[in-house]
Amino acid sequence: MDKKELKNSLYLKKVELKHLKQFNELLRYVFQVTDSDIEEGGYEDESEIIRAKRPVLREADVYGFFTHEDRLISQLAIYPCEVNIHDTVYKMAGVTGVGTYPEYTNFGLMSDLISLGLEKMRDNEQWISYLYPYSIPYYRRKGWEIMSDKIAFEIKDSQLPKRVDVPGYVEREDINHEDVFVVYDQFAEQNHGAMIRQDLNWEEYWRWENEEERTAAIYYNREGEPQGVCFYWIAEEVFHIKEMFYLNQEARHGLWNFVSAHFSMVDLVQGETFKNEPIAFLFEDSEIKETIEPYFMARIVDVEKFIESYPFITTGKPFHFVVEDPIANWNNRIFGLIWDENDDLTITEEAIGNPVYIDIQTLAALFLSYKRPAYLSRIERLKTDKETLRTLERIIPDQAAYFSDYF
């Protein structure tokens, strides 16, 4: 049987709860999850992680290719989420659980699953999709683009910031303390790109972390209102920061006061921040070690619907996008943007005004403000005239995305 005949013998269908064990076995094989990884994540055994994944399979749309013996050999999950994009909440399709057994690679199975997935996202009015890439080049070819960075930092004990007087105080609490959720919900409302976390999102956030060994340091202001959170643990004289989020600078100072108070207990502070803005500038001693790497990628599923809800800063002279999309044919067209006297936007298929030539992945980097229009033009990822380029610079918000989740 040749490759074409073998592919034609497979069939595509929705992955159901009865396939949960196969779903996890495929993930474990593809991503090389070991027993030690499961143990370090705080799980007793494989059966516990399978049970933990049950709600994901129940709530997500999962599709896969099966053999006639009902053996799952390729899969893709679409995870229902919500994100803040420049103060506007969008339904977001989180792509996860992607994998194919090696003997079935290069059959085009994943391309078919992604095509189907985009159609399902569109049906579900999920105009934007996020994913954590195992291969940035691969997902770029499928229309995703980098939208956020992760910066790992290392601070010597002698470089910790000096104490700053603040009116509030820090308390150590369980990571599931109610004030953790109070602070994060407000933080997500203030920060572009952030996940609006529901219970299942929090479960995924801690999926591969040993929650029992993590602590939440919560900063309270003078009135006793929670304003900031730092998830941390200490091991082998290293203070590890999983994430620090806060609502104002008072809370930032208060949390770093708490970290610095461990001066005599640790040699290093190691942590991560999830915005492409280095933290070194905030420290008196800025010669700290920082390592930046791409983190999540985003894709616009339906250009017209995404733009209809997009919070442009202001209006501009009419122009039109000429979009290229390698998979979603409904995006391969002209999108004319016209604002009326009431600043209401109309999107048309007419080539009104000057053109902006752009592909679907660059459009995501543009609208999620990962890169500015002038930069994208300079590297020839976007082509337009100078006047329209100035218009893009004026109307698109300039705030880097923050995204710290993993799924």
Side-chain angles (χ1 to χ4, degrees), residues 186-233:
Q186 294 179 68
F187 176 84
E189 290 177 0
Q190 295 177 7
N191 283 268
H192 157 59
M195 178 87 86
I196 309 298
R197 289 182 192 150
Q198 308 302 328
D199 289 346
L200 191 57
N201 305 124
W202 277 107
E203 289 175 18
E204 284 297 288
Y205 178 82
W206 291 109
R207 178 73 65 206
W208 297 105
E209 298 277 344
N210 194 330
E211 298 174 65
E212 295 180 358
E213 297 180 1
R214 308 296 183 251
T215 303
I218 306 175
Y219 178 82
Y220 295 88
N221 64 13
R222 190 194 305 272
E223 289 73 32
E225 299 166 332
Q227 301 285 288
V229 174
C230 175
F231 293 132
Y232 76 96
W233 74 99

Side-chain angles (χ1 to χ4, degrees), residues 173-186 202 216 218 220 224 226 229 231 245:
E173 301 286 358
D174 184 85
I175 59 171
N176 293 314
H177 191 278
E178 60 182 355
D179 287 340
V180 168
F181 306 120
V182 169
V183 175
Y184 182 80
D185 288 347
Q186 294 179 68
W202 277 107
I218 306 175
Y220 295 88
V229 174
F231 293 132
F245 49 90

Side-chain angles (χ1 to χ4, degrees), residues 20-210:
L20 179 59
K21 185 176 181 180
Q22 291 196 67
F23 175 82
N24 279 281
E25 286 175 349
L26 179 50
L27 287 183
R28 283 197 66 179
Y29 188 93
V30 171
F31 295 103
Q32 302 177 47
V33 179
T34 65
D35 290 338
S36 62
D37 291 329
I38 292 175
E39 184 178 344
E40 288 173 9
Y43 299 97
E44 292 184 3
D45 52 35
E46 184 178 2
S47 63
E48 188 177 356
I49 186 69
I50 290 176
R51 288 193 299 272
K53 276 290 188 180
R54 186 182 298 272
V56 175
L57 198 58
R58 183 181 294 118
E59 295 194 26
D61 286 330
V62 186
Y63 298 93
F65 276 98
F66 290 78
T67 68
H68 279 286
E69 293 77 31
D70 208 35
R71 177 175 173 245
L72 177 63
I73 51 93
S74 183
Q75 67 188 22
L76 177 146
I78 304 171
Y79 192 43
C81 307
E82 289 185 328
V83 290
N84 170 6
I85 296 181
H86 296 304
D87 300 327
T88 297
V89 176
Y90 279 78
K91 291 170 66 176
M92 183 270 282
V95 175
T96 184
V98 178
T100 302
Y101 282 117
E103 62 268 32
Y104 291 95
T105 56
N106 300 317
F107 278 54
L109 302 183
M110 193 51 60
S111 292
D112 291 348
L113 285 171
I114 288 174
S115 295
L116 175 65
L118 288 170
E119 292 174 4
K120 297 298 182 181
M121 295 174 201
R122 195 181 187 210
D123 291 342
N124 292 333
E125 299 183 352
Q126 297 164 315
W127 313 135
I128 186 78
S129 172
Y130 286 10
L131 61 77
Y132 179 78
Y134 70 83
S135 168
I136 289 176
Y138 177 82
Y139 284 111
R140 273 182 168 154
R141 293 195 297 271
K142 303 302 181 183
W144 277 263
E145 186 51 272
I146 301 166
M147 53 79 67
S148 71
D149 294 328
K150 178 173 70 174
I151 298 179
F153 58 84
E154 183 176 286
I155 306 169
K156 299 175 184 177
D157 56 354
S158 59
Q159 295 175 310
L160 285 167
K162 296 178 181 178
R163 178 177 175 80
V164 176
D165 287 334
V166 291
Y169 56 94
V170 169
E171 290 189 356
R172 290 179 294 113
E173 301 286 358
D174 184 85
I175 59 171
N176 293 314
H177 191 278
E178 60 182 355
D179 287 340
V180 168
F181 306 120
V182 169
V183 175
Y184 182 80
D185 288 347
Q186 294 179 68
F187 176 84
E189 290 177 0
Q190 295 177 7
N191 283 268
H192 157 59
M195 178 87 86
I196 309 298
R197 289 182 192 150
Q198 308 302 328
D199 289 346
L200 191 57
N201 305 124
W202 277 107
E203 289 175 18
E204 284 297 288
Y205 178 82
W206 291 109
R207 178 73 65 206
W208 297 105
E209 298 277 344
N210 194 330

Side-chain angles (χ1 to χ4, degrees), residues 97-375:
V98 178
T100 302
Y101 282 117
E103 62 268 32
Y104 291 95
T105 56
N106 300 317
F107 278 54
L109 302 183
M110 193 51 60
S111 292
D112 291 348
L113 285 171
I114 288 174
S115 295
L116 175 65
L118 288 170
E119 292 174 4
K120 297 298 182 181
M121 295 174 201
R122 195 181 187 210
D123 291 342
N124 292 333
E125 299 183 352
Q126 297 164 315
W127 313 135
I128 186 78
S129 172
Y130 286 10
L131 61 77
Y132 179 78
Y134 70 83
S135 168
I136 289 176
Y138 177 82
Y139 284 111
R140 273 182 168 154
R141 293 195 297 271
K142 303 302 181 183
W144 277 263
E145 186 51 272
I146 301 166
M147 53 79 67
S148 71
D149 294 328
K150 178 173 70 174
I151 298 179
F153 58 84
E154 183 176 286
I155 306 169
K156 299 175 184 177
D157 56 354
S158 59
Q159 295 175 310
L160 285 167
K162 296 178 181 178
R163 178 177 175 80
V164 176
D165 287 334
V166 291
Y169 56 94
V170 169
E171 290 189 356
R172 290 179 294 113
E173 301 286 358
D174 184 85
I175 59 171
N176 293 314
H177 191 278
E178 60 182 355
D179 287 340
V180 168
F181 306 120
V182 169
V183 175
Y184 182 80
D185 288 347
Q186 294 179 68
F187 176 84
E189 290 177 0
Q190 295 177 7
N191 283 268
H192 157 59
M195 178 87 86
I196 309 298
R197 289 182 192 150
Q198 308 302 328
D199 289 346
L200 191 57
N201 305 124
W202 277 107
E203 289 175 18
E204 284 297 288
Y205 178 82
W206 291 109
R207 178 73 65 206
W208 297 105
E209 298 277 344
N210 194 330
E211 298 174 65
E212 295 180 358
E213 297 180 1
R214 308 296 183 251
T215 303
I218 306 175
Y219 178 82
Y220 295 88
N221 64 13
R222 190 194 305 272
E223 289 73 32
E225 299 166 332
Q227 301 285 288
V229 174
C230 175
F231 293 132
Y232 76 96
W233 74 99
I234 300 172
E236 298 180 353
E237 300 185 328
V238 176
F239 190 105
H240 297 271
I241 297 176
K242 173 174 171 56
E243 184 179 12
M244 182 186 291
F245 49 90
Y246 42 83
L247 305 181
N248 49 52
Q249 294 304 299
E250 175 190 323
R252 178 176 72 83
H253 287 305
L255 290 172
W256 277 106
N257 284 348
F258 174 78
V259 176
S260 295
H262 293 78
F263 174 84
S264 62
M265 298 171 54
V266 301
D267 295 327
L268 292 172
V269 173
Q270 295 176 341
E272 296 171 340
T273 184
F274 298 87
K275 202 169 187 177
N276 57 350
E277 296 176 355
I279 66 169
F281 184 76
L282 301 173
F283 289 83
E284 181 180 1
D285 186 347
S286 293
E287 292 186 38
I288 66 173
K289 181 180 179 181
E290 291 184 293
T291 305
I292 186 170
E293 62 178 311
Y295 188 48
F296 257 66
M297 300 181 80
R299 190 197 207 282
I300 296 174
V301 174
D302 188 304
V303 173
E304 181 170 0
K305 294 297 185 181
F306 181 85
I307 294 177
E308 281 180 357
S309 301
Y310 190 78
F312 293 102
I313 293 175
T314 185
T315 61
K317 186 178 178 180
F319 66 94
H320 64 277
F321 288 108
V322 182
V323 178
E324 292 183 6
D325 191 320
I327 298 176
N329 290 328
W330 55 84
N331 290 328
N332 281 312
R333 49 165 272 218
I334 287 170
F335 299 88
L337 278 63
I338 311 167
W339 287 269
D340 63 19
E341 62 275 7
N342 297 317
D343 295 342
D344 292 326
L345 175 64
T346 297
I347 301 173
T348 175
E349 293 190 40
E350 296 180 23
I352 186 166
N354 293 323
V356 178
Y357 297 97
I358 194 167
D359 56 41
I360 192 69
Q361 54 267 51
T362 305
L363 200 66
L366 177 71
F367 279 128
L368 271 71
S369 301
Y370 184 72
K371 298 297 180 185
R372 295 302 297 166
Y375 175 79

